[in-house]
Amino acid sequence: MKSGPGIVIFLGPPGAGKGTQASRVATRLRVPHVSTGDLFRHHLKQGTPIGQLAKGFMDRGALVPDEVVCSMVEDRLGQPDAKGGCILDGFPRTIPQAEALEVLLTRLGRGTTTVVSFDLASSVLEERIGGRLTCKSCGASFHATLNPPKVAGLCDACGKAELHVRADDRPEAVRARMTEYAQKTAPLLDFYASRGALYRVDAGRRIGEIEKDLEVLLDRP
Ligand code: AMP
């Protein structure tokens, strides 16, 4: 067994299931699940300046400026629990972010980077986001039909809070997020393929099947 998975980047359009898999893989490999969307939502809840700045971008489905995201990620990756690696979910999302990450990882002396692309047709993405339900308290995500909670409307993960439709899962915001993805994030596929670090998974299958693929990929010695 190798000592840790290194930095694992989950790339893919909104609704491809990155967050669900990232949380499962991180628990299994005992590394942090670093979701920039969750970090922003946490800032928002706490009313920090980063949260206030990010809110307008997030609500309309636009990307938060690179400098803000990069400095937040730099802080997070510098924390001791991320030393053995982490699952990066939702970062990088632009070429400048990917370049900044390379510089940061070199500076921190972190080893390998594995990038997993979650591939899914856009018609399926719309259906998935359409039914997405998120926990108001812990942020766990479910789907009305594809991954329903055990008790309707209540979070399985923390058992405490109600599930709701996130502001950025509303149709106008979803359209904007898809456009941002196509214009700014999709070019990262070539960026990482040219570095020999890109693996692709068919994200149109059942959660358990995708999870098995990731297990084989990320647990390999
Ligand atoms: P997510 O939960 O990953 O879909 O992220 C929710 C929102 O947070 C996005 O629509 C963006 O507004 C913002 N966000 C998250 N990650 C990034 C990033 N790497 N770059 C810019 N904005 C981001």
Side-chain angles (χ1 to χ4, degrees):
M1 274 291 275
K2 56 183 179 176
S3 56
I7 301 289
V8 179
I9 297 169
F10 280 4
L11 258 187
K18 301 183 299 295
T20 302
Q21 294 294 343
S23 145
R24 290 174 182 228
V25 170
T27 304
R28 193 164 42 76
L29 297 180
R30 300 205 181 103
V31 293
H33 167 198
V34 177
S35 153
T36 42
D38 285 350
L39 289 175
F40 280 131
R41 282 184 284 276
H42 182 73
H43 277 284
L44 215 68
K45 234 178 174 174
Q46 305 292 314
T48 69
I50 293 186
Q52 283 159 14
L53 190 151
K55 186 178 184 339
F57 293 97
M58 292 174 77
D59 283 353
R60 62 175 195 274
L63 292 184
V64 177
D66 289 335
E67 318 77 70
V68 180
V69 191
C70 289
S71 89
M72 188 175 74
V73 169
E74 184 170 349
D75 275 0
R76 183 65 189 89
L77 294 192
Q79 289 169 24
D81 66 337
K83 271 210 171 117
C86 70
I87 313 295
L88 272 179
D89 162 19
F91 181 89
R93 261 169 150 112
T94 65
I95 298 276
Q97 289 180 18
E99 289 169 345
L101 179 64
E102 282 189 339
V103 172
L104 174 66
L105 294 178
T106 305
R107 183 150 55 76
L108 294 174
R110 301 285 163 83
T112 53
T113 302
T114 308
V115 185
V116 182
S117 163
F118 285 65
D119 297 340
L120 199 61
S122 53
S123 54
V124 185
L125 290 171
E126 280 160 32
E127 181 203 337
R128 284 203 185 174
I129 295 199
R132 182 147 81 180
L133 298 166
T134 305
C135 174
K136 282 183 184 168
S137 173
C138 74
S141 86
F142 300 87
H143 190 279
T145 53
L146 302 171
N147 180 27
K150 291 192 186 84
V151 179
L154 208 68
C155 177
D156 285 352
C158 70
K160 285 189 281 196
E162 277 173 46
L163 302 177
H164 73 138
V165 177
R166 270 172 25 190
D168 60 343
D169 280 342
R170 292 195 206 113
E172 353 38 281
V174 169
R175 274 193 294 278
R177 289 164 68 199
M178 293 295 184
T179 305
E180 289 281 62
Y181 178 80
Q183 290 177 351
K184 297 178 185 163
T185 309
L188 290 177
L189 295 173
D190 281 347
F191 179 93
Y192 285 117
S194 72
R195 282 157 171 73
L198 185 71
Y199 298 85
R200 309 191 81 126
V201 297
D202 170 2
R205 295 165 302 151
R206 289 175 191 279
I207 291 175
E209 290 174 64
I210 301 167
E211 197 176 358
K212 272 196 199 126
D213 272 11
L214 294 173
E215 234 173 273
V216 173
L217 174 66
L218 299 172
D219 290 7
R220 70 193 191 287

